């Protein structure tokens, strides 16, 4: 038994580079590394939440615009007649123009901001030194905002096209 190597790691010196270690251990068993949350991921998540709020504001103003158009007697018989379209928009009033501008600004602004948030979230999710939770949530929220904005845009175009026919 004296010829077998001892596996007692408490008796080894700290300065010995080839000191025996326990058989079933990791090299860094005495050092616990706790990963921090990614600051970029948190920023991407917050950007996504702000974009959701902006899209909701755009949806409310857009529905206000649709309500104003539905309650008016707007009929466009010829979509190529720009003079008639301009007169009908002027007949709706200043409130409809403000609602239309605010809706467009909200949807385009939220889309561009969500694109920036998506890029930051992808960078945070690919980081190997930080936690990935906020990066993944940021990807999901920002993609949701982009898809919602695109779907609202196409539903508005389809609504306009159905009124022209």
């Amino acid at each position: 038994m004296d010829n077998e190597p001892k596996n007692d790691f408490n008796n080894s010196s700290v300065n010995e580079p080839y000191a025996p270690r326990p058989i079933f251990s990791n090299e860094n068993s005495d050092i616990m590394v706790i990963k921090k949350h990614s600051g970029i991921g948190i920023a991407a998540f917050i950007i996504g939440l702000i974009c959701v709020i902006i899209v909701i504001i755009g949806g409310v103003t857009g529905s206000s615009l649709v309500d104003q158009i539905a309650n008016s007697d707007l009929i466009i018989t010829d979509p190529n007649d720009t003079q008639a379209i301009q007169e009908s928009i002027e007949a709706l009033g200043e409130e409809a123009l403000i609602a239309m501008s605010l809706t467009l600004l909200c949807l385009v602004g939220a889309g561009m901001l969500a694109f920036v948030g998506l890029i930051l979230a992808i960078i945070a999710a690919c980081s190997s030194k930080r936690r990935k939770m906020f990066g993944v949530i940021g990807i999901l929220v920002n993609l949701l905002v982009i898809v919602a904005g695109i779907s609202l845009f196409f539903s508005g175009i389809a609504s306009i096209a159905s009124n022209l026919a």
Side-chain angles (χ1 to χ4, degrees), residues 5 10 14 23 25 36 48 53 75 81 91 94 96 98-99 111-112 116 120 140 160:
N10 291 332
V14 176
I23 296 173
S25 72
K36 293 182 179 180
I53 293 170
I75 298 173
D81 188 10
E94 190 175 308
I98 291 173
M112 291 183 350
V116 170
L120 289 176
L140 295 175
I160 292 171

Side-chain angles (χ1 to χ4, degrees), residues 4-24:
E4 293 181 12
K6 291 186 178 179
N7 212 8
D8 187 17
F9 63 93
N10 291 332
N11 291 335
S12 63
S13 170
V14 176
N15 294 330
E16 285 186 32
Y18 301 108
R21 297 201 180 262
I23 296 173
F24 298 109

Side-chain angles (χ1 to χ4, degrees), residues 98-114:
I98 291 173
M100 185 172 24
S101 301
L102 186 61
T103 301
L104 184 64
L105 180 70
C106 284
L107 291 180
V108 170
M112 291 183 350
L113 193 62

